[in-house]
Amino acid sequence: MPIPTAHKGIHRVSARQQIYDTLKTWIVEGTLKPGEFIYDSEIASYFSVSRTPVREAILLLARQDLVEIVPSKGTKITETNEASARFIYEAISCLSAEIARLAVRKQTSESVEELKKLNAAFEEAVNCGDNTKILEADTAFHNCILKMADNPYMENCWQEILPHAYRYELLYFRSGSDRGSSVKEHAEIIRAFEEKSEGEVARCSQQNWIGFFNERLKPQLDLIK
């Protein structure tokens, strides 16, 4: 199993959460590859803990559909494919539209200015070509809108689905050529906020996600089938 070789000891009181967070990061970033099997004994050895918190963390990941528990074989990282990506982007695009509608109603001039700064940082990351910074900047932009919406139930739904989308975002950013379109789409979202148009900000937000799938991600997935 290709996990880092350095051992990482952790405190038992937060073992499950730390293991869960680490494995989730490895899955999203691609350290653990789609379709690859992981084994609780190796993970327990890496974290210097018993298998119990490892199994608890794996169950949490399975509930999020990031891993699949295969009887008598082990735990498999969920595959990435076009059908799965379509479901994910259909869902997140619809959710983003409704979050944006709420954000318009609750926005302040300061929050709109913050969006402009965050999109400028996103553009800078895109121009630098650093995939990690691109993802961090994109996350910060959308999290700002989420904060503007100020609805904990929507936030829970968003945080549940976002890791799935970002698995594909990183897959695309590794070889996709059109990285500038998202900067322009963010600018259109900001313009809609400035106009305080719920319908337009919802449309632009939804298109930012589903358009990425249809116009940029799907053609790339077709090439790597």
Side-chain angles (χ1 to χ4, degrees), residues 80-136:
T80 53
N81 53 60
E82 183 183 321
S84 174
R86 180 179 297 279
F87 288 139
I88 289 163
Y89 280 90
E90 285 175 347
I92 201 167
S93 66
C94 291
L95 183 58
S96 70
E98 296 311 308
I99 288 172
R101 285 183 189 276
L102 280 180
V104 169
R105 300 169 198 167
K106 302 175 182 180
Q107 70 174 309
T108 64
S109 57
E110 290 81 6
S111 59
V112 175
E113 288 304 312
E114 180 65 14
L115 284 176
K116 291 180 180 179
K117 292 178 183 178
L118 291 171
N119 197 36
F122 177 60
E123 183 174 18
E124 182 179 350
V126 167
N127 292 336
C128 290
D130 187 319
N131 293 336
T132 300
K133 289 183 178 179
I134 290 172
L135 191 59
E136 289 175 350

